[in-house]
Amino acid sequence: MLTQGILNRILQAVWPAVLLPVPHKQKGLETPGWQKTTLQAMGDPAYTRSLLNGNIGVLLGEPSDGLCTIDLDDEDFGTEFLAINPKLTTTLRTHGSRGFNLWVRVSGQFPKSKLLKHRHAL
C-alpha cells in the first residue's frame, strides 16, 4: 500500500505534475474527463488522499508543466539509447516489468506522442 511518505517522495521527484488515482489492479483510468485534471487538483487534500488508494498515473505534457517520459521497453535498447544521449543518464529513471522510463521536462512546444521502433526490433 502506498504511504503518505512514498507519495511525498513521488511528488518531490516530479513536481509540478498532475497525479491521477488509478484503481488498484488497473493500468489506466476510465473516468470521463480525467485528461482535463489540472494542477489545482493537487492542492485539494481529498484529492491527494485518493492517490493513496491504488496506483498512481501521471498526466504528462502541458498539464504537468511539460513533464514527459521516454518509455524504453527493452533494457539493452535503453542502454544503447543512453549511450547516444548521455545527458539523459542523470534524469529520473523508473523501472517497470521490462525496460525503464526516463522522465524529462520539455520547455516550449513539443511533438505529440509517437511510437518509435528500433531497427532491430521484431
Side-chain angles (χ1 to χ4, degrees):
M1 181 165 178
L2 189 65
T3 66
Q4 186 65 50
I6 293 171
L7 177 59
N8 290 343
R9 287 180 56 202
I10 293 168
L11 285 168
Q12 186 177 30
V14 299
W15 188 256
V18 177
L19 303 183
L20 302 165
V22 178
H24 188 63
K25 296 187 179 183
Q26 290 187 20
K27 286 187 78 176
L29 288 169
E30 295 179 5
T31 310
W34 64 265
Q35 302 93 333
K36 295 179 182 173
T37 307
T38 66
L39 200 53
Q40 288 177 306
M42 298 302 299
D44 178 356
Y47 183 83
T48 54
R49 273 193 307 277
S50 74
L51 297 168
L52 300 173
N53 298 326
N55 297 320
I56 294 179
V58 182
L59 188 55
L60 299 174
E62 190 176 327
S64 291
D65 194 30
L67 184 63
C68 296
T69 181
I70 301 168
D71 185 4
L72 300 157
D73 287 336
D74 178 270
E75 195 79 31
D76 291 337
F77 175 66
T79 301
E80 183 180 338
F81 182 86
L82 287 171
I84 296 167
N85 300 281
K87 288 185 178 183
L88 295 175
T89 59
T90 58
T91 192
L92 175 65
R93 187 182 316 182
T94 54
H95 294 265
S97 59
R98 59 174 205 245
F100 54 89
N101 286 60
L102 300 172
W103 295 81
V104 296
R105 196 164 305 272
V106 177
S107 299
Q109 293 184 339
F110 51 93
K112 299 238 183 250
S113 293
K114 175 101 175 130
L115 178 63
L116 302 175
K117 293 202 179 226
H118 188 273
R119 66 183 174 274
H120 297 297
L122 298 174

